[in-house]
């Protein structure tokens, strides 16, 4: 029995006749009495503040029992019959809940009505900050939580057989009234903030208070059982507050811990906004929007967040009231009295906020797109690291490639890089582009990407180098490399040009995009991605391809690679057959933000060279910058950089708040705007530097080659322009209510 986590012996105030329960279950529960000589063991779960919950063990069988508390109870609370009904409907529909086995309305059995469900093994994270797992797993667990909530809100209540489960339209109005009554019935002292918050909510009800989706009412990550080893939801628990109503009230309650008052900690409730790996509030909103295919504005959630805190404060008051009556379900119930006031005050603050982006401070410079506090801190650390370690290493890197120009070692990474990477890792400046690891959104990371773009090897130092573009042409249906299933293997056959990084001795695997020639699926579901070890028989490096004469040794070059009937295990397939474009598109939006901001960083370097050179050189008796044409170049370059940066930051902000799909037009625009703007700056700098600008004395020629390549590698401008035009016409058609 002691092996079941978070259980204790049954507490005195919750004891019941276990013999009577065992006899009842033997009569009513199939297969319960298969092992009649094994005694029924009962332990009580130590957590949970409402309906007492018990772990039952009978031989090899394990169950969970939930019952009403004994004694005087608040009106309309502890309806275990409703819990049983909704779980039974959801289990039949395939939603992850424990299988409900029986409901007993006869209080003579154990003193109150109860129900029994199947025990579900797995992990329950009692601490919502998930301290025992990696940042990547934290992200995956919270993503699974939000996906499950979105799935719940997608059910049709009538199709589930739950007609009459709620009370019809007007859910938000009823919630305000209900929790106000519950609070007043349990209040032990007057708290003005609760009264003020109740009044604000009553006067600011949403106009769409007619939705009737199925709601959980109390979905937090500690009310979920996850798979023992995977970030997969096995069961959602504690359905006491379930009903029908506005889904945003449910969602806001789930994400409200992003704003939890820092000084108010009871048990494991804490603010999660700055914990590495846990998605930001904006990311959670974006994820939920995508899962439900709806558009939600971050700043339209004030009411629902304020309602969540009013509700939570009322629940805390009720828990303390049960403590005073002696029938509380948990041992720390007395602590909840101290939460009511700070939660009410937080609700008031959220109600009156004009922006719900946590951790963002007012900016005196008038910036349109502002980093979070964490983003600002990390950006400053990156700037300091670049100044102290990266820029001073540029000469050492030049000397390495000059020394090994005719040696095979030219394809290897200079020892300087490994030394710098180790320093960056030690300072926590590692994998910053991964939100699940760094806790940074796209807007936060965009400005960091710009900083690293000022030096060609800096992204590698922080392990944030750009994902290389797909090797297919702009029309992927032209792809000739094939993939065929053969028993427990796949056979890859074809040729790939521009396989980036293949020349690096550390390149051990290739991620190959290939097409199933025999499939009849749609054009975007014919391609798959598969991992191919580079030492597999049939993989052959043919030749490195130069870009404007440069072989890009630092990044491992760009190779022609042949795959001659290469056989790899079927387990090497990524995600599944026909999901290659899905994988590629999932990283295209953020990846293009990174490309563009790094390019803008390069433009800043080019403009610095332009200004320095124009102040050093003299023609016709005056410094170059005193010539009006050069002065205009400088001005136009600054304008171009600022315009490109603003558009790119807008795209990043849109991805953070609305997701990749809603940022398609902005991403297409920056693919055109950023390379054009940066090329203009580099071209002006080369012109001012004269012949030296075309040599290796300056980095301008190499920068030009790289940025010019982006206008093909990221897809030709013409394709992006067509996409932009199509999306613009669709938007205009919607606005004009006309058919084009």
């Amino acid at each position: 029995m002691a092996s079941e986590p978070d259980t204790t012996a049954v507490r005195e105030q919750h004891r019941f006749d276990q013999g009577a329960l065992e006899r009842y279950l033997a009569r009513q529960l199939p297969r319960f009495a298969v092992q009649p000589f094994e005694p029924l063991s009962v332990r009580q779960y130590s957590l949970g503040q409402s309906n007492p919950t018990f772990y039952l063990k009978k031989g090899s069988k394990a169950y969970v029992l939930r019952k009403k508390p004994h004694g005087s109870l608040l009106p309309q609370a502890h309806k275990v019959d409703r819990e049983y009904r909704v779980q039974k409907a959801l289990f039949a529909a395939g939603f992850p809940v424990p299988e409900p086995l029986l409901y007993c309305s006869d209080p003579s059995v154990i003193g109150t009505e109860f129900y029994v469900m199947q025990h579900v093994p797995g992990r329950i994270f009692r601490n919502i900050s998930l301290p025992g797992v990696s940042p990547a797993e934290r992200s995956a667990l919270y993503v699974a939580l939000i996906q499950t909530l979105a799935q719940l809100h997608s059910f049709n209540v009538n199709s589930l057989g739950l007609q009459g489960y709620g009370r019809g339209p007007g859910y938000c109005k009823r919630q305000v009234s209900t929790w106000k009554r519950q609070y007043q019935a349990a209040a032990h002292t007057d708290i003005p903030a609760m009264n003020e918050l109740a009044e604000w909510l009553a006067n600011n009800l949403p106009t769409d208070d007619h939705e009737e989706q199925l709601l959980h009412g109390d979905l937090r990550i500690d009310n979920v059982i996850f798979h023992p080893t995977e970030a997969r939801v096995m069961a959602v628990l504690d359905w006491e507050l379930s009903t029908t109503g506005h889904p945003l009230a449910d969602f806001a309650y789930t994400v409200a811990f992003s704003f939890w008052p820092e000084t108010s900690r009871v048990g494991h409730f804490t603010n999660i906004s700055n914990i590495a790996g846990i998605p930001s509030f904006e990311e959670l909103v974006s994820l939920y929007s995508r899962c439900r295919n709806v558009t939600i504005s971050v700043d339209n959630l004030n009411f629902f967040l304020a309602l969540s805190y009013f509700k939570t404060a009322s629940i805390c008051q009720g828990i303390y009231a049960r403590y005073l009556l002696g029938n509380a379900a948990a041992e720390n119930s007395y602590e909840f009295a101290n939460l009511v006031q700070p939660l009410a005050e937080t609700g008031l603050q959220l109600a009156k906020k004009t922006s719900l982006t946590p951790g963002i401070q007012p900016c005196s410079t008038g910036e349109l797109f502002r980093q979070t506090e964490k983003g600002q801190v990390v950006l400053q650390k990156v700037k300091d690291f670049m100044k102290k370690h990266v820029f001073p290493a540029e000469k050492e890197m030049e000397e390495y490639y000059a020394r090994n120009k005719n040696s095979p070692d030219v394809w290897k990474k200079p020892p300087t890089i490994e030394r710098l990477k180790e320093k960056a890792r030690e300072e926590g400046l590692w994998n910053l582009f991964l939100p699940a690891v760094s806790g940074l959104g796209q807007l936060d990371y965009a400005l960091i990407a710009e900083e690293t773009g000022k030096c060609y090897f800096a992204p590698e130092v922080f392990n944030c180098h750009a994902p290389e573009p797909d090797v297919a042409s702009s029309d992927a249906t032209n792809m000739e490399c094939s993939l065929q299933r053969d028993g427990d293997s796949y056979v890859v056959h074809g040729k790939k040009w521009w396989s980036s990084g293949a020349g690096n001795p550390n390149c051990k695997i290739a991620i190959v995009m290939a097409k199933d020639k025999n499939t009849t699926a749609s054009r975007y579901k014919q391609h798959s991605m598969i991992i191919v070890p580079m030492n597999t028989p049939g993989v052959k490096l043919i030749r490195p391809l130069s870009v404007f004469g440069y072989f890009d040794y630092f990044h491992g070059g760009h190779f022609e690679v042949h795959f001659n009937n290469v056989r790899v295990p079927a387990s090497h397939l990524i995600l599944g057959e026909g999901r290659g474009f899905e994988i590629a598109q999932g990283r295209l939006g953020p990846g293009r933000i990174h490309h563009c901001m790094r390019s803008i960083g390069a433009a800043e370097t080019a403009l610095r060279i332009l200004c320095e050179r124009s102040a050093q050189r003299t023609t016709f008796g005056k410094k170059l910058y005193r010539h009006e044409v050069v002065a205009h170049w400088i001005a136009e370059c600054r304008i171009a950089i600022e315009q490109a940066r603003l558009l790119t930051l807008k795209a990043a902000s849109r991805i953070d708040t609305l997701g990749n799909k809603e940022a398609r037009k902005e991403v297409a625009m920056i693919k055109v705007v950023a390379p054009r703007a940066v090329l203009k700056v580099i071209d002006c700098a080369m012109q001012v530097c004269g012949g030296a600008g075309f040599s290796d004395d300056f980095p301008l020629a190499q920068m030009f080659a790289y940025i010019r390549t982006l206008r093909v590698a990221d897809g030709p401008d013409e394709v992006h322009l067509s996409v932009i035009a199509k999306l613009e016409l669709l938007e205009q058609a919607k606005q004009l209510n006309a058919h084009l």
Side-chain angles (χ1 to χ4, degrees):
M1 290 301 300
S3 62
E4 176 65 6
D6 301 321
T7 60
T8 66
V10 178
R11 294 193 288 279
E12 183 176 357
Q13 68 269 34
H14 295 137
R15 288 177 184 167
F16 53 82
D17 187 341
Q18 295 184 16
L21 174 64
E22 185 169 10
R23 291 189 294 274
Y24 178 84
L25 295 179
R27 295 193 305 271
Q28 301 293 333
L29 190 58
R31 301 188 62 78
F32 180 82
V34 170
Q35 298 168 300
F37 301 109
E38 292 282 351
L40 173 67
S41 298
V42 181
R43 288 180 67 83
Q44 184 171 2
Y45 285 97
S46 56
L47 299 172
Q49 298 293 341
S50 184
N51 294 326
T53 307
F54 305 86
Y55 175 70
L56 313 181
K57 189 76 184 297
K58 173 76 169 176
S60 61
K61 301 286 186 180
Y63 309 93
V64 174
L65 179 148
R66 273 172 69 85
K67 64 185 289 292
K68 275 191 174 184
H70 294 289
S72 176
L73 303 174
L74 293 173
Q76 301 302 314
H78 310 285
K79 298 286 188 179
V80 295
D81 57 326
R82 286 173 58 83
E83 289 189 41
Y84 178 78
R85 181 187 174 193
V86 71
Q87 286 185 231
K88 198 167 184 64
L90 287 169
F91 184 82
F95 186 79
V97 292
E99 181 182 5
L101 301 174
L102 65 83
Y103 165 70
C104 176
S105 60
D106 183 0
S108 68
V109 179
I110 61 171
T112 66
E113 58 189 279
F114 67 92
Y115 71 97
V116 176
M117 54 188 152
Q118 198 72 258
H119 176 262
V120 178
R123 298 179 292 169
I124 299 179
F125 296 96
R126 300 299 184 186
N127 189 328
I128 64 170
S129 65
L130 309 181
V133 301
S134 68
E137 188 173 11
R138 282 188 203 124
S139 179
L141 291 167
Y142 266 91
V143 166
L145 174 71
I146 298 301
Q147 289 174 332
T148 302
L149 182 65
Q151 180 188 359
L152 174 68
H153 293 165
S154 300
F155 281 116
N156 181 289
V157 175
N158 293 333
S159 298
L160 291 173
L162 292 174
Q163 297 89 337
Y165 191 71
R167 295 172 57 189
Y171 167 81
C172 295
K173 183 177 181 179
R174 287 195 305 274
Q175 282 286 289
V176 175
S177 176
T178 296
W179 291 112
K180 182 178 179 180
R181 286 198 310 272
Q182 297 280 46
Y183 166 70
Q184 291 173 341
H188 67 287
T189 186
D190 183 53
I191 299 177
M194 283 294 286
N195 300 326
E196 186 180 349
L197 181 55
E199 183 179 359
W200 185 92
L201 290 166
N203 293 330
N204 291 274
L205 294 169
T207 56
D208 58 343
D209 191 17
H210 54 265
E211 295 212 33
E212 296 183 67
Q213 299 301 125
L214 183 60
L215 312 182
H216 180 275
D218 192 23
L219 187 57
R220 307 182 307 261
I221 205 159
D222 58 326
N223 270 337
V224 170
I225 299 176
F226 287 94
H227 186 277
T229 59
E230 302 173 14
R232 177 157 54 92
V233 173
M234 303 299 292
V236 177
L237 309 176
D238 197 357
W239 292 84
E240 181 190 356
L241 298 179
S242 60
T243 184
T244 61
H246 203 302
L248 289 187
D250 223 16
F251 171 72
Y253 184 83
T254 300
V255 302
F257 288 99
S258 295
F259 304 93
W260 192 263
E262 294 283 0
T263 57
S264 301
R265 294 193 178 187
V266 171
H268 297 303
F269 292 169
T270 186
N271 187 293
I272 62 171
S273 61
N274 290 310
I275 296 173
I278 295 181
S280 67
F281 172 67
E282 298 95 326
E283 289 170 331
L284 294 172
V285 172
S286 174
L287 174 64
Y288 178 79
S289 301
R290 293 200 302 273
C291 288
R292 290 203 62 214
N293 196 27
V294 296
T295 300
I296 299 172
S297 171
V298 171
D299 291 326
N300 285 341
L301 292 172
N302 299 63
F303 174 87
F304 297 104
L305 286 166
L307 176 61
S308 296
Y309 276 93
F310 183 64
K311 170 182 172 179
T312 305
S314 299
I315 291 172
C316 291
Q317 188 64 65
I319 292 169
Y320 183 66
R322 289 198 296 277
Y323 164 76
L324 295 176
L325 293 170
N327 62 355
E331 296 173 346
N332 67 335
S333 302
Y334 66 92
E335 299 178 5
F336 284 78
N338 298 324
L339 280 180
V340 180
Q341 182 169 332
L343 293 181
E345 291 171 348
T346 300
L348 274 174
Q349 293 168 8
L350 290 168
K352 299 174 181 179
K353 265 193 172 185
T354 57
S355 174
L356 290 175
T357 306
I360 296 182
Q361 300 300 316
C363 182
S364 60
T365 60
E367 293 177 36
L368 292 176
F369 305 104
R370 303 166 183 168
Q371 285 185 295
T372 62
E373 286 184 7
K374 182 173 183 178
Q376 293 168 11
V377 170
V378 176
L379 176 59
Q380 189 57 52
K381 288 178 68 176
V382 169
K383 287 182 175 180
D384 293 343
F385 191 95
M386 294 277 290
K387 184 176 181 181
K388 184 178 180 181
H389 301 293
V390 175
F391 294 132
E394 288 180 329
K395 184 173 179 57
E396 193 175 341
M397 293 289 289
E398 291 174 10
E399 291 173 349
Y400 175 87
Y401 285 109
R403 186 171 60 250
N404 293 285
K405 190 173 184 180
N406 298 313
S407 165
D409 288 346
V410 75
W411 293 104
K412 295 181 180 179
K413 290 288 170 70
T416 305
I417 292 298
E418 293 307 316
R419 174 172 52 81
L420 292 175
K421 288 168 75 172
E422 190 60 35
K423 284 183 179 291
R425 190 194 290 267
E426 289 172 0
E427 295 192 20
L429 301 175
W430 195 253
N431 285 339
L432 300 177
F433 72 104
L434 294 173
V437 176
S438 66
L440 300 173
Q442 295 303 323
L443 181 58
D444 278 334
Y445 180 69
L447 292 165
I448 294 168
E450 178 183 346
E451 189 66 23
T452 62
K454 294 175 181 178
C455 173
Y456 76 94
F457 60 84
E460 172 88 5
V461 170
F462 302 106
N463 207 38
C464 298
H465 43 293
E468 294 295 338
D470 294 326
V471 295
S473 69
S474 57
D475 181 1
T477 57
N478 291 338
M479 188 177 291
E480 293 298 327
C481 189
S482 66
L483 180 74
Q484 295 293 323
R485 182 71 183 252
D486 184 15
D488 294 333
S489 304
Y490 281 99
V491 177
V492 182
H493 184 76
K495 302 175 182 179
K496 290 285 188 180
W497 270 33
W498 304 106
S499 295
S500 301
N504 190 319
N506 293 329
C507 179
K508 303 301 181 184
I509 64 169
I511 298 178
V512 180
M513 183 95 143
K515 181 178 179 180
D516 184 347
K517 296 298 179 64
N518 298 323
T519 184
T520 57
S522 74
R523 61 188 297 186
Y524 296 113
K525 293 186 178 180
Q526 297 177 2
H527 304 78
S528 303
M529 285 193 185
I530 193 164
I531 296 172
V532 179
M534 294 297 285
N535 61 359
T536 307
V539 178
K540 187 176 182 180
L541 299 186
I542 302 300
R543 59 180 176 131
L545 301 164
S546 66
V547 181
F548 286 106
Y550 293 100
F551 282 95
D552 201 2
Y553 297 118
F554 178 74
H555 293 107
H558 311 281
F559 274 69
E560 179 182 349
V561 182
H562 289 187
F563 298 87
N564 298 314
N565 293 314
V566 176
R567 183 177 295 271
V568 293
S571 59
H572 286 202
L573 192 71
I574 302 175
L575 206 58
E577 288 189 4
R579 302 184 72 175
F581 276 99
E582 177 186 346
I583 298 167
Q585 292 297 321
R587 58 103 175 146
L588 279 182
R592 296 313 167 246
I593 299 292
H594 308 168
H595 268 311
C596 290
M597 290 304 287
R598 271 187 283 267
S599 301
I600 291 167
E604 289 285 6
T605 297
L607 182 55
R608 175 180 56 79
I609 293 171
L610 190 164
C611 292
E612 289 175 354
R613 189 69 167 172
S614 67
Q616 295 167 353
R617 296 188 72 191
T618 301
T619 61
F620 303 105
K622 56 183 178 181
K623 297 290 186 182
L624 280 179
Y625 70 83
R626 292 192 179 277
H627 291 277
E628 191 173 47
V629 65
V630 176
H632 286 186
W633 287 349
I634 293 170
E636 290 173 357
C637 287
R638 172 49 62 197
I639 292 170
I641 290 174
E642 296 300 326
Q643 289 174 330
R645 179 188 291 115
L646 280 174
L647 184 56
T648 307
L649 291 179
K650 179 185 177 183
S653 178
R654 200 163 174 84
I655 289 175
D656 278 341
T657 54
L658 299 175
N660 290 357
K661 185 177 180 181
E662 295 299 321
R664 284 179 301 167
K665 188 167 76 170
E666 285 75 14
V667 170
M669 287 192 285
I670 64 174
K671 289 180 183 180
V672 175
V673 168
R676 285 184 177 180
V678 177
L679 284 172
K680 173 184 175 65
V681 177
I682 296 172
D683 185 70
C684 289
M686 294 173 73
Q687 197 74 5
V688 167
C689 289
F694 295 82
S695 73
D696 287 339
D697 289 356
F698 288 95
L700 297 171
Q702 194 164 7
M703 288 165 57
F704 184 92
Y706 171 70
I707 302 300
R708 182 60 185 85
T709 304
L710 284 184
R711 293 182 59 193
V712 173
D714 259 354
D717 289 1
E718 292 75 16
V719 171
H720 303 317
L721 291 168
S722 295
V723 170
I724 296 164
K726 178 182 177 182
L727 293 173
E728 182 65 24
L729 287 167
L730 287 173
E731 289 178 13
Q732 294 288 347
K734 288 178 183 177
Q735 292 176 14
L736 297 172
N737 196 26
H739 177 70
L740 296 183

